[in-house]
Amino acid sequence: MATPVEGDVAELTRSQRLDRLPFTAKHAKLLTGSGVGWALDAMDVGLISYVMLALKVQWHLDPTTLSWIGSIGFVGMALGATLGGLLADRIGRRQVFAITLLIYGLATGAAALSISVAMLIVLRFIVGLGLGAELPVASTLVSEFAPKRIRGRVVVALEAFWAVGWLIAALIGYLLIPNVTEGWRWALAIGVVPTVYAAVVRWGLPESVRFLEHKGRFAEAEEVVVGFEQAAQVAPVPSPNVAPSKSSGEVSIWSAELRRRTIALWAVWFFINLSYYGAFIWLPSLLKDRFSLTVTLTYALIITIAQLPGYAAAAYLVEKWGRRPTLATFLLGSAISAALFGFAGSEAEVLAAGCALSFFNLGAWGALYAIGPEIYPTGIRGTGTGAAAAFGRIASIIAPLSVPLLLSGGGLPMVFTVFGVAFLLAAGAALLLPERRNQPLAD
């Protein structure tokens, strides 16, 4: 094995030993394992927009009822994000990740058997509990293992699995909804897959080294670090078992040193949720008002594909420019794209503006997930990211409910003008966040 050349290895902490490593097969396994769970989550959220489209026809539902079907999951997500973050700081990132996958996988499968709107709404709420808790926990786990020089890029790569899941949802909607009797039930039944995957997550992924150290479980932490060093062919040199400072676990996200970043992070989460979920949950139904079902599903699929280059660009720029400028730039691009979509006239303009909105908005999401876990210490990292996500989910509840009201008040121009302004406010808040490119995570 090669001996590392960076400093006196005997003085390195376990976190520093992880930061000096190259990206290895162990990192790839962690990224893929977390990412598949992330993609399954996205698939579930994406499917509800196609379920709404189908139920609008099959159950003859009015826009208000459809809005509640779209929004109720986000009520669960708001609660789930708060509880998931708290639990991740207490029982571990991996444990919560697996539990949440199990909850939402079972509930999604049960939703396929819904016989009434009330039953579907209750089960969508439970789905939201699991989904809301999983997302910030997964990004925290990956952040705590990724080497600092590429941490942002790795977390954006994790977020890119969202586009994969949304693309799968678009394909399922394209193939099942118009071609299979009650195809929406089969689409939801596919959500049972996370139930099986939860077992893989529980036993296949490592627990966060920083979490283990914070809990005084040094032997387990050392074993995990040695495994990553062996994968990188770096000679393991045990770190001293120094008890972590309790201050990081006792400090509040509202303390004087963290208050400004917490407010800024919450603001970004709120406004990006308002615009993203308002636009994309309703997108198939909005397109259906102008085009045939086949054209609607085709355009929704193409717009979804545009998410992938958005993530790729963000993954490059978060390490080249930094997290803050990348996030602000992509949010500005989202604002402009929203305005263009709202006033688009021809089919070509609708498609081009939709693709641009998809590109910039999902790139912004990647940068946001990269910056979130970096701005809090280990003891409250899960709590801080989970609380911000929970606050953002309030906007995701409001967004689908607001679309019918905005449509009646001024049509698509009014809807997407409001969303464009929200993106601008998010961009301004992003500039207040600290820049943590190529810096170690705070312990």
Side-chain angles (χ1 to χ4, degrees), residues 119-181:
M119 180 178 176
L120 180 60
I121 286 177
V122 169
L123 288 168
R124 291 301 304 171
F125 172 78
I126 298 173
V127 168
L129 285 175
L131 177 58
E134 189 273 324
L135 296 178
V137 173
S139 62
T140 297
L141 179 63
V142 171
S143 292
E144 291 179 333
F145 276 102
K148 65 179 181 181
R149 65 189 175 279
I150 58 170
R151 185 189 309 119
R153 188 164 296 164
V154 172
V155 176
V156 175
L158 170 67
E159 233 288 293
F161 279 88
W162 184 271
V164 175
W166 203 279
L167 181 58
I168 293 172
L171 286 170
I172 292 172
Y174 181 81
L175 296 173
L176 288 182
I177 298 300
N179 300 317
V180 179
T181 302

Side-chain angles (χ1 to χ4, degrees), residues 86 89-90 246-263 266 375-385 387:
L86 290 169
D89 287 334
R90 285 162 175 75
K246 297 297 182 183
S247 60
S248 67
E250 295 167 358
V251 71
S252 166
I253 62 174
W254 296 107
S255 64
E257 61 180 313
L258 299 177
R259 186 181 304 124
R260 172 174 164 165
R261 65 186 62 180
T262 294
I263 293 172
W266 282 34
I375 64 177
Y376 293 111
T378 297
I380 58 170
R381 184 167 296 123
T383 300
T385 54

Side-chain angles (χ1 to χ4, degrees), residues 12 29 79 119 239 254 296 334 370 399 409:
L12 292 177
K29 180 181 178 182
L79 295 175
M119 180 178 176
S239 300
W254 296 107
T296 292
S334 299

Side-chain angles (χ1 to χ4, degrees), residues 247-321:
S247 60
S248 67
E250 295 167 358
V251 71
S252 166
I253 62 174
W254 296 107
S255 64
E257 61 180 313
L258 299 177
R259 186 181 304 124
R260 172 174 164 165
R261 65 186 62 180
T262 294
I263 293 172
L265 186 64
W266 282 34
V268 176
W269 266 94
F270 184 89
F271 289 118
I272 195 173
N273 269 278
L274 183 69
S275 300
Y276 173 77
Y277 286 107
F280 285 91
I281 289 296
W282 271 96
L283 185 62
S285 295
L286 293 176
L287 291 175
K288 180 64 175 62
D289 291 338
R290 298 184 61 175
F291 309 116
S292 68
L293 180 60
T294 301
V295 171
T296 292
L297 294 173
T298 301
Y299 281 8
L301 180 60
I302 294 171
I303 290 171
T304 299
I305 293 172
Q307 296 180 13
L308 293 171
Y311 282 123
Y316 173 76
L317 292 173
V318 289
E319 302 297 358
K320 185 72 173 180
W321 286 355

Side-chain angles (χ1 to χ4, degrees), residues 63-81:
T64 300
T65 303
L66 288 173
S67 295
W68 276 109
I69 293 173
S71 289
I72 194 64
F74 300 116
V75 177
M77 288 174 74
L79 295 175

